Amino acid sequence: MGERERVGRARGRSKVVAAVLAGALLMLVVAGGVAWRTGWADDWWDRISGDDPAATADPAAVAAPPGLDLPAVVRPAVGAQPADGRSGLSPAALEQALVALSDPDLGGHVLAAVGPLDGTGLAYTAAEGTATAIPASTTKVVTATVALFLLGPDHTFDTTTVLDTAGGGTPRLVLVGGGDPLLARAPAAAGDGDAGSATIQPPRADVRTLARRTARALRADGVTEVRLGYDDTLFSGPAVNPTWESDYISTDVVSPISALWVDQGREADSFERVADPSATAARVFRSALAKAGIAVVGAPTVVAAPARASEVARVSSAPLSQIVQRLLEVSDNEASEVLLRHIGIADQGAGTFVAGQAAVERVLAANGIPMGGSVLYDGSGLSRANRLAPSVLVDVLRLAASDDHPGLRAVLTGLPVAGFTGSLAERMDEGPAAGPGRVRAKTGTLSNVSSLAGIALDRDGHLMAFALMADRIRDPKETLARTAMDNAASSLGACSCGR
């Protein structure tokens, strides 16, 4: 462990108490906002105000005890009108808070947009018209939002087995991939999960459990021997995005994208990627099926499951809302790309990168967020060909927070908390002390690129959405540039940004 890591860990431990307090404060604020937007606060108010027939009477309407002379209750005048979304933030205060964006370490192309989370328009911009920048992993905010919009927060992904008995002889069992982004080799053992600061661990379906269920069902029908095929045809087109860097696969940056894999296409207990995730998943399943008492004749083969085949067993993923929260918190590239394929299927009828891109553009436009000069080629942000205007990210965050779409809330709750969770656990500790805990954001990092997109709660209770982007950072300055970007975002939480 290097000196910087030891210092970081020590600093992290020293923040435990502060994390609890700041996290509690943020949760109270967010819970209050959710309560108001979901109507829970209205129900509560109905009960204390007397609008609910079953409620306790208004204290002002209760008669005083005999002999007690009290003055009449006078309702106070309204002290101030609530600020609307457009006028509640001060451009001058925001400019002062974001002074770190002028740091030369960020390079010569820095874009920013800040506006009220519940409102319209921008109170601050640092962009020229429709200027765009490489968004890196802030792209995942867009992918997650569109996936939830099209599929719904309760959607699950099923991996199944089906049996084809046509033709006589040994029946063929087919393992059918349903595009579960988190399908595992085996059930999670106690204490398993992501290393680091992930706060949500969705339960994972696994092929060992599927093999046991399949074996039990086969034996019940008198089947003890099968041939094995595997079907990964739910997704089509290339498994590797053509706009990715040529060495992404060979250097284990990302796996080939498949509708059937285990552990996201990784070797067992390793970060190394396998060359053929579908074939690997089939071999793992074959071994588990044999251990469960079903003889498998020959090696697994690639097939398309026939429509006449009958289902034998299935396992289902966690709900999409939980997958999205984990995806955003740990910046999961593979899960993001799988969701882009599902977006394409749901909206365009094809599980390809191109269909996913078209679906994203259509859904955003339908919700009043035109892409303009922005363009996305993947779901994870690995592509350096992606371009986004910061205003698009701000508007997507507003969509996720809108009253009309409560099913998108997992996008906001999945954003890492500055200084405490996920990809921000060890960041934003060099800026204003009041910033950590008041900012939630998705990070975006590629070589020469640094970006942040999320929400901030300033010291006076103003909720804002922001996107900060720099994509011409010089190689020796990348760490310093990231610190400058962190300091700017942290200052939004530490400022008094109202008019």
Side-chain angles (χ1 to χ4, degrees):
M1 184 184 297
E3 181 62 21
R4 178 174 295 179
E5 186 176 356
R6 285 195 295 271
V7 171
R9 290 182 182 273
R11 182 180 294 155
R13 288 192 295 270
S14 71
K15 287 195 242 178
V16 170
V17 174
V20 173
L21 295 175
L25 172 61
L26 186 62
M27 290 301 294
L28 285 172
V29 173
V30 172
V34 171
W36 186 263
R37 294 182 179 196
T38 58
W40 178 86
D42 292 336
D43 295 340
W44 173 80
W45 177 253
D46 287 345
R47 290 190 173 276
I48 67 169
S49 64
D51 293 340
D52 183 353
T56 304
D58 186 340
V62 177
L68 184 61
D69 186 16
L70 296 174
V73 175
V74 178
R75 295 189 179 275
V78 176
Q81 295 296 326
D84 60 40
R86 189 180 294 273
S87 63
L89 296 173
S90 165
L94 289 170
E95 183 175 4
Q96 182 177 1
L98 294 172
V99 67
L101 293 181
S102 62
D103 192 315
D105 291 331
L106 285 168
H109 192 234
V110 181
L111 308 182
V114 184
L117 182 62
D118 186 7
T120 58
L122 297 174
Y124 174 88
T125 59
E128 298 177 2
T130 58
T132 62
I134 300 173
S137 282
T138 58
T139 300
K140 294 180 175 73
V141 173
V142 179
T143 305
T145 301
V146 175
L148 286 168
F149 182 88
L150 289 173
L151 301 174
D154 298 326
H155 187 86
T156 58
F157 306 104
D158 298 331
T159 307
T160 61
T161 51
V162 299
L163 191 66
D164 181 14
T165 57
T170 304
R172 184 189 299 278
L173 181 74
V174 182
L175 173 65
V176 183
D180 181 349
L182 302 182
L183 185 68
R185 279 177 165 77
D192 280 359
D194 295 307
S197 303
T199 61
I200 181 169
Q201 303 293 348
R204 301 189 183 197
D206 69 275
V207 295
R208 182 181 296 175
T209 296
L210 180 60
R212 290 170 177 170
R213 292 177 181 178
T214 299
R216 186 163 55 245
L218 290 174
R219 287 195 299 270
D221 288 338
V223 177
T224 58
E225 183 179 83
V226 296
R227 295 172 293 151
L228 181 61
Y230 61 96
D231 183 347
D232 62 358
T233 58
L234 181 65
F235 297 166
S236 52
V240 178
N241 192 296
T243 68
W244 286 346
E245 300 297 292
S246 59
D247 63 349
Y248 277 179
I249 301 299
S250 62
T251 57
D252 293 328
V253 171
V254 66
S255 298
I257 305 306
S258 173
L260 175 63
W261 61 17
V262 289
D263 299 338
Q264 299 191 317
R266 293 181 174 90
E267 298 281 3
D269 301 317
S270 171
F271 286 102
E272 293 184 6
R273 269 71 172 184
V274 301
D276 189 339
S278 300
T280 298
R283 288 194 295 270
V284 171
F285 177 79
R286 182 189 187 281
S287 176
L289 191 64
K291 290 179 180 178
I294 300 297
V296 181
V297 178
T301 57
V302 181
V303 298
R308 64 178 179 271
S310 56
E311 182 174 313
V312 178
R314 72 172 51 210
V315 289
S316 300
S317 73
L320 178 58
S321 59
Q322 294 183 25
I323 293 173
V324 160
Q325 290 183 74
R326 178 194 172 277
L327 176 160
L328 292 172
E329 194 171 47
V330 303
S331 199
D332 189 325
N333 292 321
E334 279 85 5
S336 301
E337 297 301 343
V338 168
L339 291 191
L340 184 68
R341 299 298 189 97
H342 284 295
I343 287 169
I345 293 170
D347 191 72
Q348 304 285 316
T352 66
F353 286 112
V354 173
Q357 297 156 20
V360 167
E361 291 189 21
R362 191 201 68 78
V363 169
L364 294 190
N367 284 280
I369 311 174
M371 295 285 281
S374 299
V375 60
L376 294 175
Y377 292 98
D378 68 6
S380 63
L382 285 173
S383 174
R384 299 187 69 89
N386 290 342
R387 294 293 185 274
L388 274 182
S391 59
V392 171
L393 287 166
V394 167
D395 284 340
V396 169
L397 289 163
R398 285 171 169 162
L399 176 64
S402 68
D403 295 331
D404 295 334
H405 301 291
L408 307 182
R409 291 293 187 268
V411 173
L412 301 185
T413 58
L415 294 173
V417 179
F420 299 112
T421 65
S423 57
L424 286 181
E426 300 297 330
R427 292 178 58 170
M428 297 200 191
D429 56 355
E430 297 185 25
R438 293 179 175 271
V439 177
R440 304 189 74 140
K442 180 68 198 77
T443 56
T445 305
L446 291 172
S447 58
N448 312 111
V449 176
S450 183
S451 58
L452 289 167
I455 59 177
L457 177 72
D458 80 352
R459 295 168 69 93
D460 297 329
H462 295 94
L463 267 171
M464 62 192 92
F466 69 89
L468 315 177
M469 311 171 77
D471 64 355
R472 295 179 191 169
I473 301 167
R474 290 178 295 166
D475 289 337
K477 302 292 186 179
E478 289 182 318
T479 300
L480 294 173
R482 189 180 71 176
T483 299
M485 186 73 72
D486 286 355
N487 290 348
S490 185
S491 294
L492 290 176
C495 77
S496 293
C497 289
R499 290 185 179 274

